[in-house]
Amino acid sequence: MKTASPPVTAVTFTGKRRAEVAARWVSLTGAAAILVVLAYMIIQLFQTSWPIWKAHGVGWIFGSTWNPAGGVFGALPFIYGTLVTSAIALVVATPIGVGTALFVSELAPVKLRRPVASVIDLLAAVPSVIYGLWGILVFVPLIRPAQNLLATHLGGHIPFLAPPSPGPGFLAAGLVLAIMVLPTISAVSREVFLTIPRDVREAAYALGSTKWEVIRMAVLPGARSGIIGGVILGLGRALGETVAVLLVIGDVSAISKSLFAPGYSMAAVIANEFREATEPLHIEALVGIALVLFVITVLIDMGARLLVHRTAARA
Amino acid sequence: MKAPSTRRKLVDRTMLALMGAAVLVAIVPLVAILVEVLLKGIGAVRGLGFFTQAPPGDPTSPAGGIGNAIVGTLLMVAGASVVFIPLGILGAIYLVEYGPGTRLARVVRFFTEVMTGIPSIIFGVFVFTVLVLRTHHFSGWAGALAIGLIMWPIVVRTSEEILVRVPTTVREASMALGIPKYKTILKVVLPSAAAGLTTGCMLAVARAAGETAPLLFTALGNQFMSYSMGQPISAMPLEIFNDATSPYPAAVARGWATAFVLIALILVLTLVARFVTARRGG
């Protein structure tokens, strides 16, 4: 609950009263400035990319060929790459994130709780570029033999695992993203579990439940929408992650069914091509992709936070 | 009361083991990364020159260092902090002191949270269109602005959480003595929250120092030692980014060393901030 500040006393002199009013307005400006800047960002991105929206409507985003040299701009390969890597990241990170949160809030002895939680949160402090560096120089060579093995033996039967598997690709990027997204899901789930009142758990124990049954029946149901909120927050993060994905996904603008194949993502293509984009249309296309990414992540983020707030408020 | 059946016990044990396994799976990458950065990074730091010299002109040479990157990061972070830390604290002051409960405060608080989730590259694109396109060159100022925009919501949120914890009694006592509200905030509330505010800023700085994407087309990077913010300037994350894909082993080694320095900086800031918060019962 936020503490309310007591009202200004009536015994201030005019000069002090003016200073008072000024202080109020100055701080209000500081707060409102955030809204102004956010609005300006959307407007500016839209304005810069306007020509390409005007010329090609909304459909150009779903074109499947991206060829700046030839003047063809279709963003579908990037949307595909972004979605696939984010999906992999969530599928891997959600069980692990929820599992660690359950461990910290339900299983761990009280002394262990803070340290374990802190260590997991430390994953979030590592900069994206270092994940990328480690990803391309250590992680990818590590999983390449396994990928090749799966590809050669199972690739004929399962299209997801088809060769070629040069190393960098959707799966590698998805796994690195999973590590990066994991602390978000874990932290939100942990907070949500803490809001479940003790009585619910104790009632379940009183009925003779095992620890897991208590979790399954008493803790998880009430926490469900909060966990979903955390997962969606993680999704928002995964969608926008740039440098780590850029270094590990292979940077090939192609749509491929195989998880081992190299691909591209929206954030990665913006990062890679922006510096050398000289033609206005190229820049406009990239800014257009940025606008789409911006709107999608903001909407997803807003939805996730509303979900989490609502769960916390209900408790 | 009947004891749980063997099947239930088995399920119980399995699920609990899985949860423990999840924790291990989560911790392994962190340890792996830190160890790797430490091992590969320390080897490439050859003496103090590493911190003061720019990279060598010859990419195959292991000489030189990342002095330009360190200077660039420090300059841009300082530039961003000078503007956006006071601005952020000001916003937090409104949220806690002058406007709690108002609709504006609720909206600002919500969108500040949303702003922390915006991909950092979007800020880079925004600053590019607003500053770089108009002035026709990349610069340290553009990089500082991009980093500052990322720091801003973090400063607001952490400051808000700290200011809210200052007990009302402190404010009331001050006003009972006849001190006007704005002076109360300035001379009583802020100083008592100073430790918490500092740690919040340290976390914001730690985050800003590690960002790469917003710098790619604002500060651009610079191979040479430069103290000029009006020109392209290097930064540690940019250095790591360029070295990660370099075909020259000497450059890659430099990348690991830079990663080591960067992560040491971030870890120190983060752990000190956490330690201070924990000690004060945060």
Side-chain angles (χ1 to χ4, degrees):
Chain A
M1 213 178 72
K2 312 280 183 197
T3 62
S5 232
V8 180
T9 71
V11 288
T12 50
F13 297 101
T14 321
K16 283 190 182 156
R17 174 140 271 175
R18 270 202 221 117
E20 199 56 65
V21 173
R24 183 175 219 281
W25 278 106
V26 165
S27 65
L28 194 152
T29 318
I34 290 196
L35 300 178
V36 168
V37 167
L38 278 179
Y40 185 35
M41 280 176 72
I42 302 187
I43 296 175
Q44 179 64 50
L45 288 180
F46 193 54
Q47 212 180 9
T48 311
S49 60
W50 170 240
I52 199 172
W53 299 111
K54 187 157 159 234
H56 300 273
V58 183
W60 71 270
I61 313 177
F62 299 110
S64 51
T65 319
W66 176 268
N67 183 2
V72 179
F73 297 105
L76 197 61
F78 315 126
I79 299 182
Y80 178 77
T82 304
L83 289 178
V84 167
T85 50
S86 302
I88 297 176
L90 288 184
V91 161
V92 172
T94 304
I96 301 182
V98 174
T100 53
L102 281 175
F103 180 85
V104 168
S105 74
E106 311 291 324
L107 286 188
V110 182
K111 285 219 186 92
L112 263 189
R113 281 191 192 168
R114 256 278 173 73
V116 172
S118 291
V119 169
I120 296 179
D121 288 346
L122 221 48
L123 275 174
V126 175
S128 162
V129 69
I130 295 188
Y131 275 114
L133 179 77
W134 175 79
I136 188 69
L137 293 180
V138 175
F139 186 65
V140 164
L142 205 70
I143 64 174
R144 193 183 284 136
Q147 281 190 177
N148 280 328
L149 209 70
L150 285 174
T152 44
H153 289 247
L154 298 177
H157 313 283
I158 313 180
F160 286 134
L161 305 177
S165 60
F170 295 117
L171 184 66
L175 290 178
V176 172
L177 265 184
I179 305 176
M180 299 175 74
V181 155
L182 165 60
T184 305
I185 299 182
S186 183
V188 173
S189 303
R190 211 183 308 144
E191 273 183 41
V192 170
F193 292 146
L194 284 179
T195 62
I196 309 260
R198 269 177 53 186
D199 331 357
V200 186
R201 291 187 184 89
E202 286 176 357
Y205 277 124
L207 291 172
S209 311
T210 61
K211 249 193 167 128
W212 165 245
E213 284 163 354
V214 171
I215 294 175
R216 185 167 52 94
M217 296 191 304
V219 178
L220 284 181
R224 198 171 31 173
S225 41
I227 297 180
I228 295 181
V231 171
I232 301 181
L233 262 181
L235 171 65
R237 198 146 278 179
L239 292 177
E241 191 41 66
T242 314
V243 183
V245 173
L246 167 54
L247 288 170
V248 180
I249 200 173
D251 301 348
V252 170
S253 34
I255 303 182
S256 178
K257 263 187 274 188
S258 167
L259 290 181
F260 298 141
Y264 229 150
S265 83
M266 291 199 276
V269 71
I270 298 174
N272 246 348
E273 300 200 354
F274 220 89
R275 272 190 280 198
E276 285 123 29
T278 43
E279 283 175 41
L281 199 60
H282 194 182
I283 296 187
E284 283 149 20
L286 289 173
V287 175
I289 297 180
L291 181 63
V292 171
L293 188 61
F294 184 23
V295 170
I296 294 181
T297 47
V298 166
L299 287 178
I300 288 184
D301 220 58
M302 282 171 63
R305 289 184 202 275
L306 285 172
L307 247 180
V308 175
H309 283 187
R310 230 172 2 128
T311 319
R314 222 189 297 141
Chain B
M1 211 183 317
K2 206 173 77 153
S5 71
T6 334
R7 194 189 74 91
R8 282 169 63 200
K9 270 202 210 143
L10 187 64
V11 169
D12 184 53
R13 293 272 158 82
T14 320
M15 294 314 285
L16 299 187
L18 281 180
M19 284 186 244
V23 172
L24 287 176
V25 168
I27 297 188
V28 161
L30 178 69
V31 173
I33 295 179
L34 290 181
V35 165
E36 197 79 46
V37 168
L38 186 73
L39 291 180
K40 292 221 169 86
I42 280 221
V45 179
R46 298 156 191 273
L48 284 177
F50 185 73
F51 299 100
T52 53
Q53 297 164 7
D58 171 15
T60 59
S61 152
I66 55 166
N68 59 341
I70 295 181
V71 165
T73 295
L74 288 178
L75 283 178
M76 283 194 282
V77 167
S81 303
V82 156
V83 171
F84 286 97
I85 287 184
L87 194 57
I89 296 183
L90 204 57
I93 289 178
Y94 176 75
L95 289 179
V96 174
E97 307 285 338
Y98 287 108
T102 63
R103 171 176 276 181
L104 178 64
R106 264 177 290 143
V107 171
V108 167
R109 189 175 296 124
F110 183 68
F111 280 104
T112 306
E113 268 191 43
V114 170
M115 196 170 173
T116 61
I118 296 180
S120 56
I121 192 166
I122 307 282
F123 292 109
V125 174
F126 171 64
V127 173
F128 177 83
T129 56
V130 160
L131 213 56
V132 177
L133 272 187
R134 297 213 182 125
T135 59
H136 295 290
H137 64 241
F138 302 94
S139 68
W141 294 119
L145 179 60
I147 295 186
L149 288 174
I150 296 178
M151 282 176 72
W152 191 10
I154 303 178
V155 172
V156 172
R157 292 215 56 231
T158 53
S159 304
E160 189 198 355
E161 286 184 12
I162 301 290
L163 287 177
V164 148
R165 300 229 179 115
V166 174
T168 340
T169 47
V170 174
R171 295 184 182 88
E172 289 175 349
S174 165
M175 297 220 205
L177 292 171
I179 302 177
K181 188 158 172 175
Y182 75 93
K183 258 203 193 147
T184 304
I185 298 176
L186 219 50
K187 299 263 165 104
V188 177
V189 177
L190 283 185
S192 67
L197 290 177
T198 316
T199 58
C201 297
M202 284 166 75
L203 291 176
V205 164
R207 168 89 189 266
E211 287 289 347
T212 322
L215 296 178
L216 286 173
F217 20 87
T218 49
L220 191 68
N222 191 334
Q223 306 180 304
F224 304 104
M225 192 65 135
S226 162
Y227 297 91
S228 158
M229 288 282 273
Q231 295 302 313
I233 199 168
S234 178
M236 287 197 272
L238 286 177
E239 179 72 35
I240 301 175
F241 179 65
N242 289 327
D243 290 336
T245 49
S246 171
Y248 304 107
V252 171
R254 199 173 313 123
W256 284 109
T258 318
F260 173 62
V261 174
L262 182 60
I263 234 187
L265 171 71
I266 292 180
L267 277 184
V268 164
L269 286 173
T270 310
L271 292 176
V272 168
R274 291 228 192 126
F275 178 67
V276 171
T277 321
R279 259 222 333 199
R280 308 182 95 245

